[in-house]
Amino acid sequence: MENLKLDFQFGLEAGQMLEAVKSGQKPEKLSGLQSQVEEAFLTLTRESGKGHEFLGWLHLPGQLSEEALAPILEKAEDFRKKSQILVCIGIGGSYLGAKALVECMTPQLAQFIMGYPRVIFAGHQLCEDYYSELLAALNHYDYTVCVISKSGTTTEPAIAFRLVREHIEKKYGKEEARQRITVITDKEKGALKTLADQEGYTSFVVPDNVGGRYSVLTPVGLFPLALSGIDIRKLAQGAQSMQKLLCTEKLDWTSNIAAQYTLFRQYLYMQQGKKVELLTNFEPRLLYFGEWWKQLFGESEGKEGKGIFPSSANFTTDLHSLGQYIQEGERLFFETVLSMESQKTELVVPFEEADLDKMNFVAGKRVSYVNEKAEEGTCMAHSQQGSVPVLRIRIPHLDEYSLGQLIYFFEFACGLSGYTLEVNPFDQPGVEAYKKNMFKLLGKPGA
Ligand code: PA5
């Protein structure tokens, strides 16, 4: 199986330094920072830093044995048999991982071409019209529900679950509804756990030592993915191969692509003043992968007045909107391109005698070839004319194995980056501020 690869584009000085690091050298400009990353690596792998009680994700891929996956696959199969739609309720880390991978791995025009069951997400916002439409649609389909909340007390999924639970109990009766609801929550505490025990819902556990944004390889992500027909065994294999490569006893700069990535993003931030990282792609299925990545890095690094602001753009679409700013606006950012190296199908641009649109120069060429040239041309324009440093992560195939690798790669790099910045990458104290105000405004007792 092929691995992810990391490079810089177009002979920038940083590109030459990356090549030096990959060959085991220590470029002078980077030496101080390289030592900081080395220290962060030890803090992470020896589990001795701030938030070390949330490092369960570090060894998680290796624990995804056949026995561990079997109950998830079994329940998913049961739900697949009895539902046309799976309603998956959750927010933040209890939503984005599954959403990202479902978007990557299921047909893009699913509403027209896909068989059942389909995953519909809920509990990730508070839009009344969305829920009215959802409940109306659920009148016409057989469905099952998976509600995911580690704390079991988060407002958005709690409200969504109230609405859907009322609907499913009316539609199927309380007894049958019980067979159609699965809960993924804490092993012993929280409102959802209490409810699951009272009602006898099947439940899966979110491990105590894995925080929301690092939880996609727990039942939080694995159950909805298995339901969508995604091969979670292959996903686990990809993550396992990345764990072997990155989570080693000693840091090997020649092979540890997460350390290389951390070094260069922190170099660009700390020494070049690039405060924003723009994660881009030329593959529309990666749109939500960018959303997952933004939560991972935003919640992990953005604290104590520090942190690279994670942002994303989807090309070529956004070249027709954000492209102008990226090319000529304030030089705030560097760009990390998720570069997809293959497509699953082949399609060539048709030849037209009249050639009114003047596109015959690409007639007979694959659409993916045009896209590749768009990527190459964009990276050149951004890095050379636009002075935007462009890092590239090359992904051999958009499949479960590569996605498993990519998830663990970013999680590891995120832990490493947080420790390099000397923050706790595993807490998120700032997310409470809006909740306090909202609860006060809503008149919650004690708020
Ligand atoms: O990363 C996090 O911890 C958060 O984004 C949570 O995942 C999110 O707030 C949802 O929390 P819960 O699973 O407790 O409902």
Side-chain angles (χ1 to χ4, degrees):
M1 293 280 192
E2 286 174 81
N3 277 336
L4 306 177
K5 294 184 192 79
L6 181 73
D7 55 32
F8 259 102
Q9 285 278 282
F10 306 109
L12 297 171
E13 189 197 12
Q16 288 154 11
M17 290 197 290
L18 176 59
E19 289 315 308
V21 170
K22 280 182 182 175
S23 65
Q25 297 166 43
K26 293 202 165 183
E28 213 182 302
K29 257 195 180 166
L30 295 175
S31 64
L33 193 54
Q34 227 171 328
S35 306
Q36 273 172 263
V37 177
E38 280 163 10
E39 209 170 297
F41 177 86
L42 292 179
T43 308
L44 182 65
T45 54
R46 291 180 183 170
E47 306 188 21
S48 58
K50 295 178 199 165
H52 60 86
E53 62 280 21
F54 291 107
L55 279 171
W57 59 271
L58 200 58
H59 301 287
L60 199 55
Q63 294 157 9
L64 297 177
S65 61
E66 200 51 42
E67 293 102 285
L69 298 180
I72 296 174
L73 287 162
E74 203 176 298
K75 190 71 197 174
E77 193 47 35
D78 169 47
F79 270 24
R80 277 170 76 81
K81 279 193 193 128
K82 58 179 168 229
S83 48
Q84 297 165 299
I85 286 179
L86 170 84
V87 183
C88 189
I89 299 174
I91 195 167
S94 293
Y95 154 66
L96 281 164
K99 172 73 177 170
L101 298 198
V102 165
E103 291 288 315
C104 284
M105 294 309 303
T106 52
Q108 296 172 83
L109 300 177
Q111 68 270 40
F112 302 119
I113 55 179
M114 197 178 159
Y116 296 114
R118 288 189 54 205
V119 175
I120 293 184
F121 290 91
H124 55 301
Q125 30 77 357
L126 288 164
C127 174
E128 188 163 323
D129 288 345
Y130 181 88
Y131 292 110
S132 301
E133 285 175 35
L134 175 66
L135 296 177
L138 293 178
N139 289 329
H140 306 290
Y141 296 94
D142 271 320
Y143 70 98
T144 48
V145 179
C146 163
V147 52
I148 309 172
S149 177
K150 187 175 181 189
S151 63
T153 54
T154 308
T155 309
E156 293 89 339
I159 290 177
F161 188 43
R162 278 194 181 210
L163 292 166
V164 173
R165 191 154 75 101
E166 186 180 66
H167 186 278
I168 201 168
E169 286 179 355
K170 262 193 206 146
K171 180 166 173 150
Y172 294 101
K174 233 173 163 354
E175 198 43 52
E176 168 73 10
R178 283 193 184 106
Q179 310 307 316
R180 291 179 172 269
I181 294 173
T182 288
V183 164
I184 302 176
T185 191
D186 188 86
K187 73 173 181 309
E188 50 198 18
K189 47 182 200 300
L192 205 48
K193 175 65 188 158
T194 310
L195 185 68
D197 287 348
Q198 268 170 18
E199 297 291 330
Y201 300 145
T202 298
S203 50
F204 292 106
V205 171
V206 189
D208 275 348
N209 59 358
V210 181
R213 58 191 176 276
Y214 292 84
S215 68
V216 57
L217 296 173
T218 73
V220 169
L222 296 175
F223 185 65
L225 295 176
L227 265 158
S228 324
I230 291 169
D231 188 340
I232 60 172
R233 289 188 181 96
K234 275 205 191 126
L235 187 76
Q237 283 162 15
Q240 283 154 7
S241 74
M242 215 17 85
Q243 181 189 335
K244 266 195 201 129
L245 187 74
L246 306 179
C247 192
T248 49
E249 212 184 308
K250 271 180 142 181
L251 171 53
D252 179 354
W253 282 105
T254 65
S255 59
N256 196 314
I257 53 175
Q260 294 165 8
Y261 173 57
T262 301
L263 177 66
F264 280 89
R265 62 193 295 282
Q266 293 303 346
Y267 162 72
L268 294 167
Y269 173 62
M270 293 179 186
Q271 295 182 24
Q272 304 273 307
K274 305 292 183 193
K275 296 200 183 300
V276 177
E277 178 173 9
L278 192 60
L279 190 79
T280 63
N281 63 72
F282 287 76
E283 167 53 69
R285 283 170 287 194
L286 287 172
L287 190 152
Y288 271 91
F289 194 88
E291 299 302 308
W292 172 81
W293 173 88
K294 285 192 277 195
Q295 188 206 3
L296 181 66
F297 279 88
E299 280 191 352
S300 300
E301 287 190 314
K303 49 197 74 157
E304 299 174 28
K306 299 189 246 188
I308 301 169
F309 183 81
S311 169
S312 64
N314 305 286
F315 298 154
T316 60
T317 310
D318 291 342
L319 290 173
H320 298 258
S321 60
L322 282 175
Q324 171 60 37
Y325 191 102
I326 299 169
Q327 194 63 45
E328 295 182 349
E330 204 174 336
R331 305 295 72 192
L332 300 164
F333 42 82
F334 64 98
E335 187 173 337
T336 301
V337 187
L338 294 177
S339 178
M340 194 56 64
E341 296 195 308
S342 62
Q343 290 281 305
K344 292 177 178 139
T345 56
E346 280 194 33
L347 208 55
V348 296
V349 179
F351 175 82
E352 277 182 12
E353 199 63 57
D355 197 23
L356 291 176
D357 55 10
K358 302 277 176 263
M359 279 291 146
N360 273 352
F361 71 100
V362 285
K365 298 269 194 284
R366 284 182 64 179
V367 176
S368 60
Y369 175 79
V370 180
N371 201 28
E372 273 162 35
K373 295 301 148 201
E375 179 177 328
E376 210 176 310
T378 305
C379 291
M380 277 163 76
H382 290 176
S383 62
Q384 292 175 353
Q385 288 106 296
S387 303
V388 175
V390 179
L391 261 167
R392 187 168 61 158
I393 295 165
R394 282 156 51 201
I395 306 161
H397 308 286
L398 190 56
D399 60 12
E400 289 91 341
Y401 187 85
S402 288
L403 288 167
Q405 287 202 324
L406 209 51
I407 284 165
Y408 191 84
F409 162 76
F410 276 126
E411 288 179 348
F412 196 91
C414 188
L416 214 47
S417 283
Y419 283 145
T420 306
L421 272 179
E422 297 179 349
V423 297
N424 177 353
F426 309 113
D427 67 359
Q428 55 284 330
V431 301
E432 295 310 312
Y434 97 91
K435 291 183 195 167
K436 274 191 195 140
N437 292 341
M438 175 178 75
F439 291 145
K440 220 177 236 169
L441 293 167
L442 287 168
K444 184 179 181 179

